Amino acid sequence: MNYSLKQTSNSSTVLVVDDDPAMRIALTESLKLLGYDTEVATSGEEALAYLNEKPVGTILTDMQMGGMTGIDLFHKVNKYKIPVIIMSAYGTIDAAVMAMKSGVVDYLVKPFSQERLDEAVKKGLASASSVAEKSALPIKGRSMAMRTILTNNPGMLKLLKMTEVVASSDATIFLEGESGTGKEVFARFIHEHSPRAHRPFIAINCAAVPENLLESELFGHEKGAFTGALIRKPGKFELAHTGTILLDEVSEMHLSLQAKLLRVLQEKEVDSVGGREPIPLDIRVIATTNRPILKEVEEGRFREDLYYRLNVFPLHIPPLRDRISDIPLLAEHFIKKIAARNHQEPVKLSSEALSQLLAWPWKGNVRELENTMERACLLASLDGIILPEHLGFVDPIKKEPIVHNGSANRSEKTTLWEVERDLILETLEKMGGNRTHAAKRLGISIRTMRNKLKEYRSAGLLDAEEDEDESLEEEAGKFFPAVAQSGK
Ligand SMILES: Nc1ncnc2c1ncn2[C@@H]1O[C@H](COP(=O)(O)OP(=O)(O)OP(=O)(O)O)[C@@H](O)[C@H]1O
Ligand SMILES: [Mg+2]
């Protein structure tokens, strides 16, 4: 039979496959208690039929079933990179090892604890998210369509070639680049072009996790290791076992933790907090920093030995201003992406706006460009073309918009935020206060619309609203009482 699975794989649904009704109920109840969304199938065949219709995050399947076995199901879906967890009552170490070797995410021997189940499902979903976001391509074409990094800059193309070569090894890679240059995109690209592509990709942002939590996040902790440690929690290193770990913004890590990290990297095993036995690790490490790491080393904020351990293969991603040929390419890409997301025709980009894009310093690099295009597309949605005024660039010296024409009825001092606000409120008014229609007209999600209105409310521009859950029409009536009344 020929299955064309409609998988986009950024789903968080767990598909439970078991021919035993009692087991199905027990599993779905446990998973629900753990906070997961579930779907069930009574056989491998039914699971495939389900996958044909809807995406799932991970599959939890019994080994022995009437027809297709758990392993058969795994082989059917493996090329689509859907993570599979197998459960078996007849678990032997050999079977488990065989299954894990062939790429099964985890192997649960019945009976297993809720904690063990949680751990396995987490692993499954984590490895699903590593293959997700690969655009909305149907999974069928996706095994070929690896993450592409958009560029036509000769330096970047060379860098990409090199990246592809080192990706195939197990070498530790150190990605340096300003904020927003695409370090995370590169890290995922490396993982996806490595022999570990179907294994977990686990990212941790060392700057975003509070210092006192980072240790147990990275290395895990045993039950009762400290007050509040109610269950054993595997660390990111353990979760990334057999796969790749991304240590994002590693330069922000505290010196004492740097020592522990160094030990893990040297010994290739991890001691969890409060744990007795070290856990052996097979891991590919990618680290990133958005500040010059050598300076951190020189100034004693980053351990030199750790630097050498991480800096096996350094890759430097150039800032966007040093590869301006990528700007039109990326701008067009984001316009199309935004339009596709909103099911709308892409807006055009005027040559005046383009020349401003080319001249802008892009301190926030590709991320800033993406945000700029997002805003510009929204502002340009009524005209269908992005004009310089939609970019919201402000002259850093004169502190005023670089170009200001078009909006004759707006004062010179109008900020982009105000332009956007006026546009939203005007559209809302035009649409009789109907948020859904207004959001559609503007090409934004109803959620974005709601957030924007909340923003205006907290800035005191709109009356406070008591109940967020009221019907949209009623809600709108509060902003535009006249419109709502005349509509009745
Ligand atoms: N070459 C590219 N093609 C398409 N999208 C890109 C490219 N480079 C970056 N992006 C997009 O730009 C945004 C920023 O990229 P990313 O998160 O990888 O940057 P970063 O270097 O990790 O930033 P930070 O240092 O702030 O963490 C993301 O939305 C990413 O998808
Ligand atoms: Mg990043």
Side-chain angles (χ1 to χ4, degrees):
M1 208 189 280
N2 196 10
Y3 295 100
S4 65
L5 307 190
K6 290 188 185 66
Q7 295 291 301
T8 52
S9 141
N10 44 15
S11 158
S12 59
T13 303
V14 182
L15 179 62
V16 175
V17 190
D18 202 313
D19 56 354
D20 176 358
M23 199 61 198
R24 282 200 302 272
I25 293 172
L27 285 167
T28 46
E29 287 307 309
S30 295
L31 288 168
K32 271 185 205 145
L33 278 176
L34 290 165
Y36 298 106
D37 293 331
T38 59
E39 287 296 339
V40 291
T42 60
S43 66
E45 290 80 359
E46 199 182 307
L48 287 172
Y50 180 87
L51 293 168
N52 230 350
E53 297 301 322
K54 290 210 180 99
V56 306
T58 189
I59 297 172
L60 175 64
T61 178
D62 193 23
M63 180 61 130
Q64 299 297 342
M65 294 181 289
M68 191 184 280
T69 67
I71 279 285
D72 293 341
L73 176 60
F74 163 71
H75 287 303
K76 284 252 185 269
V77 303
N78 189 34
K79 59 174 179 284
Y80 304 110
K81 296 193 177 167
I82 305 166
V84 174
I85 302 158
I86 291 187
M87 306 173 282
S88 176
Y90 318 94
T92 62
I93 299 284
D94 281 356
V97 169
M98 281 282 285
M100 298 289 283
K101 270 204 176 134
S102 56
V104 165
V105 171
D106 211 335
Y107 195 86
L108 297 172
V109 179
K110 293 183 206 170
F112 45 83
S113 67
Q114 185 136 329
E115 281 157 31
R116 204 38 203 103
L117 175 66
D118 190 24
E119 183 190 336
V121 169
K122 273 212 184 83
K123 256 197 246 176
L125 292 177
S127 96
S129 66
S130 77
V131 295
E133 289 174 40
K134 281 188 215 112
S135 77
L137 264 185
I139 193 158
K140 202 174 158 204
R142 209 208 283 142
S143 46
M144 295 294 297
M146 300 286 233
R147 176 178 304 274
T148 41
I149 295 179
L150 284 177
T151 185
N152 56 21
N153 171 273
M156 278 285 279
L157 288 168
K158 232 161 114 185
L159 180 69
L160 263 178
K161 266 258 152 316
M162 194 143 74
T163 307
E164 221 166 318
V165 173
V166 287
S168 61
S169 75
D170 258 351
T172 300
I173 294 182
F174 201 57
L175 291 166
E176 250 189 295
E178 287 179 14
S179 178
T181 43
K183 294 184 293 296
E184 187 165 344
V185 179
F186 264 79
R188 289 179 186 274
F189 176 91
I190 292 164
H191 175 72
E192 285 157 16
H193 284 78
S194 79
R196 295 166 183 261
H198 59 292
R199 312 299 306 160
F201 175 89
I202 304 284
I204 177 153
N205 186 324
C206 304
V209 181
E211 201 190 308
N212 56 338
L213 293 183
L214 189 57
E215 178 170 8
S216 92
E217 275 295 311
L218 280 171
F219 310 117
H221 62 71
E222 295 301 314
K223 184 173 169 178
F226 48 81
T227 329
L230 300 178
I231 53 166
R232 173 177 193 279
K233 192 179 156 212
K236 299 283 186 193
F237 270 101
E238 216 181 317
L239 293 176
H241 181 54
T242 70
T244 306
I245 193 164
L246 168 62
L247 302 168
D248 216 354
E249 297 193 51
V250 75
S251 53
E252 308 301 305
M253 194 182 274
H254 199 264
L255 275 168
S256 62
L257 260 189
Q258 288 178 23
K260 193 156 181 195
L261 174 61
L262 180 67
R263 212 159 48 238
V264 171
L265 299 179
Q266 276 168 345
E267 310 296 329
K268 296 199 170 25
E269 54 183 32
V270 64
D271 302 288
S272 66
V273 180
R276 268 167 247 135
E277 291 283 296
I279 305 155
L281 290 176
D282 163 21
I283 276 182
R284 199 295 163 73
V285 178
I286 304 176
T288 80
T289 171
N290 53 27
R291 39 171 128 188
I293 192 77
L294 270 178
K295 191 153 171 269
E296 297 297 297
V297 173
E298 270 160 27
E299 293 174 6
R301 282 189 299 270
F302 200 80
R303 291 181 68 114
E304 195 174 1
D305 44 10
L306 179 57
Y307 165 71
Y308 284 115
R309 175 73 45 183
L310 292 175
N311 204 39
V312 178
F313 209 103
L315 293 174
H316 179 82
I317 309 174
L320 189 56
R321 63 182 164 281
D322 290 349
R323 45 176 164 120
I324 54 173
S325 61
D326 279 351
I327 293 174
L329 183 75
L330 288 167
E332 287 297 342
H333 163 72
F334 291 132
I335 291 174
K336 284 201 195 108
K337 184 171 140 188
I338 294 158
R341 195 181 60 210
N342 297 318
H343 308 288
Q344 288 192 330
E345 279 294 301
V347 295
K348 302 231 161 8
L349 181 62
S350 68
S351 55
E352 296 85 353
L354 179 59
S355 49
Q356 286 209 356
L357 290 178
L358 293 171
W360 191 245
W362 300 115
K363 295 247 163 61
N365 294 291
V366 185
R367 182 177 301 109
E368 185 187 359
L369 176 61
E370 184 165 13
N371 292 340
T372 301
M373 297 321 290
E374 184 101 30
R375 197 172 269 254
C377 284
L378 167 58
L379 293 174
S381 59
L382 293 180
D383 305 324
I385 181 159
I386 297 176
L387 301 169
E389 68 193 79
H390 298 137
L391 300 174
F393 291 150
V394 173
D395 187 314
I397 310 218
K398 290 192 237 147
K399 301 256 187 273
E400 54 191 41
I402 290 181
V403 175
H404 208 96
N405 54 23
S407 46
N409 56 348
R410 290 182 178 115
S411 88
E412 277 302 315
K413 284 204 198 71
T414 314
T415 63
L416 188 69
W417 186 79
E418 287 165 322
V419 176
E420 185 189 80
R421 178 202 64 201
D422 291 350
L423 179 73
I424 288 181
L425 295 181
E426 272 165 30
T427 312
L428 203 48
E429 202 172 347
K430 258 187 224 146
M431 297 292 150
N434 184 316
R435 284 183 180 194
T436 312
H437 291 169
K440 206 163 178 187
R441 182 83 172 87
L442 290 166
I444 57 176
S445 67
I446 180 74
R447 192 198 173 113
T448 304
M449 169 71 92
R450 204 175 292 143
N451 290 340
K452 297 270 175 209
L453 293 176
K454 212 182 266 170
E455 206 178 289
Y456 308 152
R457 224 173 286 129
S458 58
L461 293 160
L462 286 172
D463 289 340
E465 191 186 24
E466 282 113 44
D467 186 2
E468 270 288 320
D469 291 322
E470 280 175 20
S471 92
L472 299 177
E473 308 309 321
E474 256 180 65
E475 219 173 339
K478 288 191 185 162
F479 305 126
F480 304 106
V483 177
Q485 273 157 24
S486 68
K488 274 183 192 155

